[in-house]
Amino acid sequence: MIVQRVVLNSRPGKNGNPVAENFRMEEVYLTDNINEGQVQVRTLYLSVDPYMRCRMNEDTGTDYITPWQLSQVVDGGGIGIIEESKHTNLTKGDFVTSFYWPWQTKVILDGNNLEKVDPQLVNGHLSYFLGAIGMPGLTSLIGIQEKGHITAGSNKTMVVSGAAGACGSVAGQIGHLLGCSRVVGICGTHEKCVLLTSELGFDAAINYKKENVAEQLRESCPAGVDVYFDNVGGNISDTVISQMNENSHIILCGQISQYNKDVPYPPPLSPAIEAIQKERNITRERFLVLNYKDKFEPGILQLSQWFKEGKLKIKETVINGLENMGAAFQSMMTGGNIGKQIVCISEEISL
């Protein structure tokens, strides 16, 4: 049968901004024969995420993520439904997910590399497995648990940058759920600020494009900053760090402001900010969620429970059509999304 797929058309260059034209859609023949252990799946939803930016370079700069190859199918987080199975533990109609799902309408995959998901955990919203009840949610939860050192009733103030994104929008809510008395978000539009405070329970929100961040932080965090969930790096993070308390903690989730620059990860701090960090004994350790696989299952169950109890509100921005993967990626890298950026490939979940 003929299927559509998206391949890497060109690289933006280590210091370039990615554009939709870096990707192209093409048709390809998919065999009808599947081997023992394999399944044929129809793709339902695909994820675009900031970490993918390094996969557009010839060298990702990390040993745990491989670069995408030119003219080869692109892959990332995905979810789909099994249409045919020759795998002992997977049957037709099962919903499955993978971190390395090809950007293709239908695909034959090794069943051992897929994880079965239970739609009841997300009340049927399957795309949530790519967001708040998937990797971004786990990154937020485990990051805060492992690196935030928050205890119930400890009266701590937490600041979240990139606060309206996939991780940030969840992290702020988790901060409150785990015991922070005050959570402040930093984001880039008035609309996002309103959402954070009116719907997601943030105590205050700062629009870094329109407001003086240092001034607003002092006003919003009168007792200083105890925990900083950092999604962006750069100038915003320098401003937050300079207002952090002694023995406070930075959760290094991402550095999206630096991803289009050829710098190491995590990017080094400027000498002045590094001096503040050392002087105040602020922890800033690299955090990689893949090192905590033993915490994934309980983490997903906790996130699902909070969602079902109405304590965790989930936001996503959905674009339809495989042909729009490149546009969705470009939009996500420039803050066009609120919550998780998802691309819906096929909504038809009945067989």
Side-chain angles (χ1 to χ4, degrees):
M1 78 182 100
I2 301 293
V3 298
Q4 276 87 36
R5 68 176 189 174
V6 171
V7 300
L8 186 65
N9 189 44
S10 57
R11 299 189 191 277
K14 280 195 168 180
N15 297 303
N17 294 320
V19 291
E21 292 72 31
N22 292 136
F23 303 93
R24 75 168 185 271
M25 195 161 91
E26 57 183 34
E27 293 194 329
V28 64
Y29 176 76
L30 184 70
T31 176
D32 293 327
N33 301 326
I34 63 170
N35 300 324
E36 283 306 314
Q38 290 185 326
V39 293
Q40 183 196 299
V41 291
R42 176 155 44 83
T43 306
L44 298 174
Y45 298 99
L46 293 171
S47 173
V48 289
D49 303 276
Y51 82 86
M52 292 174 166
R53 174 61 186 84
C54 70
R55 299 193 71 189
M56 300 183 82
N57 299 333
E58 279 177 53
D59 172 15
T60 63
T62 68
D63 47 10
Y64 63 92
I65 302 176
T66 54
W68 289 327
Q69 299 302 321
L70 287 170
S71 296
Q72 298 293 312
V73 69
V74 175
D75 65 348
I79 192 159
I81 186 168
I82 294 180
E83 295 193 319
E84 197 185 335
S85 174
K86 285 194 179 172
H87 189 278
T88 44
N89 302 333
L90 298 169
T91 55
K92 185 175 173 174
D94 283 348
F95 295 107
V96 287
T97 186
S98 165
F99 202 51
Y100 300 103
W101 194 290
W103 290 8
Q104 195 164 304
T105 48
K106 291 190 182 193
V107 65
I108 292 168
L109 297 169
D110 178 346
N112 290 336
N113 298 334
L114 297 172
E115 196 182 329
K116 204 155 125 176
V117 293
D118 177 4
Q120 287 184 316
L121 289 176
V122 291
N123 289 350
H125 294 277
L126 291 167
S127 56
Y128 290 180
F129 284 123
L130 298 178
I133 303 178
M135 271 309 199
L138 285 171
T139 301
S140 303
L141 175 62
I142 297 169
I144 293 169
Q145 286 173 332
E146 295 294 319
K147 305 288 185 187
H149 306 279
I150 297 164
T151 47
S154 58
N155 214 19
K156 288 188 171 175
T157 297
M158 178 187 201
V159 170
V160 182
S161 57
C167 285
S169 61
V170 173
Q173 297 179 76
I174 291 174
H176 267 318
L177 288 165
L178 294 183
C180 282
S181 59
R182 191 158 179 78
V183 176
V184 176
I186 303 174
C187 55
T189 70
H190 176 66
E191 180 195 8
K192 289 177 180 178
C193 286
V194 170
L195 172 95
L196 294 181
T197 53
S198 66
E199 287 188 48
L200 303 186
F202 283 69
D203 298 287
I206 299 167
N207 179 348
Y208 74 89
K209 290 183 181 172
K210 292 275 163 72
E211 299 174 273
N212 179 318
V213 177
E215 226 168 79
Q216 292 295 321
L217 264 181
R218 274 191 290 276
E219 208 171 288
S220 306
C221 309
V225 179
D226 302 299
V227 183
Y228 174 39
F229 195 94
D230 185 6
N231 283 302
V232 301
N235 293 336
I236 290 174
S237 290
D238 290 353
T239 305
V240 177
I241 294 168
S242 61
Q243 294 191 32
M244 291 184 76
N245 294 326
E246 280 202 23
N247 305 315
S248 55
H249 305 283
I250 298 168
I251 301 160
L252 209 59
C253 178
Q255 304 279 284
I256 196 168
S257 74
Q258 308 297 302
Y259 286 172
N260 295 327
K261 300 173 187 172
D262 186 10
V263 292
Y265 186 86
L269 296 170
S270 67
I273 299 299
E274 194 176 359
I276 290 172
Q277 184 207 344
K278 287 185 172 151
E279 197 179 297
R280 296 183 198 164
N281 191 33
I282 302 169
T283 61
R284 182 185 186 254
E285 299 161 357
R286 183 171 186 170
F287 168 69
L288 183 59
V289 73
L290 298 175
N291 291 341
Y292 298 90
K293 286 188 175 159
D294 58 315
K295 295 185 162 57
F296 283 14
E297 201 176 327
I300 291 292
L301 293 174
Q302 176 65 83
L303 291 162
S304 168
Q305 186 186 335
W306 280 334
F307 162 60
K308 288 184 159 187
E309 290 171 352
K311 294 175 181 171
L312 181 67
K313 307 276 194 303
I314 298 178
K315 291 287 163 192
E316 57 179 14
T317 299
V318 181
I319 291 181
N320 289 311
L322 186 74
E323 69 278 7
N324 290 315
M325 290 300 296
F329 185 84
Q330 182 179 355
S331 173
M332 176 272 307
M333 286 297 294
T334 50
N337 56 302
I338 288 181
K340 181 77 187 77
Q341 178 73 67
I342 295 285
V343 182
C344 175
I345 309 304
S346 166
E347 276 182 297
E348 187 51 60
I349 58 169
S350 59
L351 287 169

